[in-house]
Amino acid sequence: MVDRLANSEANTRRISIVENCFGAAGQPLTIPGRVLIGEGVLTKLCRKKPKARQFFLFNDILVYGNIVIQKKKYNKQHIIPLENVTIDSIQDEGDLRNGWLIKTPTKSLAVYAATATEKSEWMNHINKCVSDLLSKSGKTPSNDHAAVWVPDSEATVCMCCQKAKFTPVNRRHHCRKCGFVVCGPCSEKRFLLPSQSSKPVRICDFCYDLLSTGEMTACQSARSDSYSQSPKSSLNDVSDDDDDEDSSD
């Protein structure tokens, strides 16, 4: 079905509409062979609170943006290549229901659908697209995933030293390797994580010691992934206002 739609006029028109909704600031989305599989509003759990985002699933990429005018205008376009995506279901807890993780080497995020059926459809379609892409390329799924950031609200004290209390003066920072909320003194070191940045990024002392000795794999699983499977209030990875990482935190 995807191959049949690839060069159809209806598919081309639908993709053109999505492009126009993002305006001049968005990247062009029309390329040969690309098919728009589906679209919808999902709740993306940002660093400070959940926010609605418009998502578009294509056969090779996942695109999302901020909703400016419903069905008419979006901004801050993000494009995620599906070839590098792994998804994991998140257990329901309180008001946070019907969610899953979208994990990539450069960025990981948590999203929630309105219903269990909608969640199932999204996950099935994403998995099918990823499977088809990997089958065509002959590549294997990536095992390297960026950490999902622990939300600010889950940490009143530094998760590294367990002592420093956060205040308007003593700011929260995030370790780019494990995603934990840490104080400034516990995250003064930088380390090159090529999948996330071409420059060394902020990491906590705990991760720095393990990365320096080559023992980081077990730490990543124990510290970050275990937390991401049990979100409490607003699990995620990016700033509340602009949906982009602020290099200062």
Side-chain angles (χ1 to χ4, degrees):
M1 179 178 179
V2 170
D3 292 337
R4 188 171 71 250
L5 291 173
N7 299 311
S8 71
E9 183 179 340
N11 178 66
T12 301
R13 184 168 60 253
R14 291 176 68 200
I15 295 178
S16 177
I17 291 173
V18 175
E19 282 186 350
N20 292 335
C21 286
F22 279 102
Q27 295 185 38
L29 298 173
T30 302
I31 65 170
R34 177 167 290 164
V35 176
L36 179 59
I37 305 297
E39 62 183 271
V41 177
L42 299 174
T43 298
K44 181 177 179 293
L45 299 182
C46 299
R47 179 178 169 185
K48 295 188 182 297
K49 61 182 179 180
K51 288 193 172 183
R53 297 287 184 256
Q54 182 73 28
F55 281 77
F56 300 92
L57 176 63
F58 297 83
N59 58 331
D60 61 334
I61 58 174
L62 182 66
V63 179
Y64 70 91
N66 296 7
I67 301 171
V68 180
I69 302 175
Q70 186 69 33
K71 298 291 185 180
K72 292 184 178 181
K73 186 176 181 181
Y74 313 108
N75 64 8
K76 296 180 181 176
Q77 182 192 69
H78 297 260
I79 299 177
I80 302 174
L82 287 178
E83 196 172 64
N84 298 322
V85 165
T86 300
I87 60 175
D88 289 323
S89 181
I90 299 174
Q91 295 180 354
D92 292 345
E93 183 171 332
D95 292 334
L96 296 176
R97 307 181 68 82
N98 310 315
W100 66 97
L101 297 178
I102 300 172
K103 302 190 296 185
T104 79
T106 57
K107 182 178 183 178
S108 298
L109 54 147
V111 294
Y112 284 81
T115 66
T117 299
E118 186 180 346
K119 169 187 174 178
S120 177
E121 291 177 348
W122 271 100
M123 292 187 70
N124 288 339
H125 285 307
I126 292 173
N127 275 328
K128 180 63 166 59
C129 290
V130 173
S131 177
D132 288 347
L133 284 170
L134 293 176
S135 177
K136 290 179 181 178
S137 68
K139 296 181 180 179
T140 57
S142 174
N143 292 320
D144 181 23
H145 302 122
V148 177
W149 284 14
V150 175
D152 287 359
S153 60
E154 294 303 317
T156 57
V157 299
C158 174
M159 299 176 75
C160 188
C161 68
Q162 300 290 323
K163 295 178 181 179
K165 293 184 178 181
F166 295 120
T167 67
V169 176
N170 187 31
R171 296 182 56 238
R172 291 172 172 82
H173 302 274
H174 279 82
C175 171
R176 298 307 197 265
K177 185 59 181 178
C178 69
F180 276 22
V181 184
V182 292
C183 64
C186 284
S187 58
E188 293 179 340
K189 297 182 176 66
R190 299 290 189 274
F191 200 92
L192 182 62
L193 303 177
S195 62
Q196 295 190 37
S197 175
S198 60
K199 299 179 180 179
V201 293
R202 179 189 295 271
I203 62 173
C204 68
D205 290 347
F206 187 81
C207 287
Y208 182 85
D209 291 341
L210 289 176
L211 283 167
S212 299
T213 57
E215 299 177 359
M216 189 64 224
T217 302
C219 168
Q220 180 72 20
S221 176
R223 300 188 83 201
S224 180
D225 290 349
S226 62
Y227 184 92
S228 68
Q229 294 302 320
S230 301
K232 295 180 180 179
S233 60
S234 58
L235 172 74
N236 206 25
D237 60 328
V238 291
S239 82
D240 175 52
D241 295 326
D242 60 9
D243 228 18
D244 280 316
E245 289 185 3
D246 179 350
S247 59
S248 66
D249 63 2

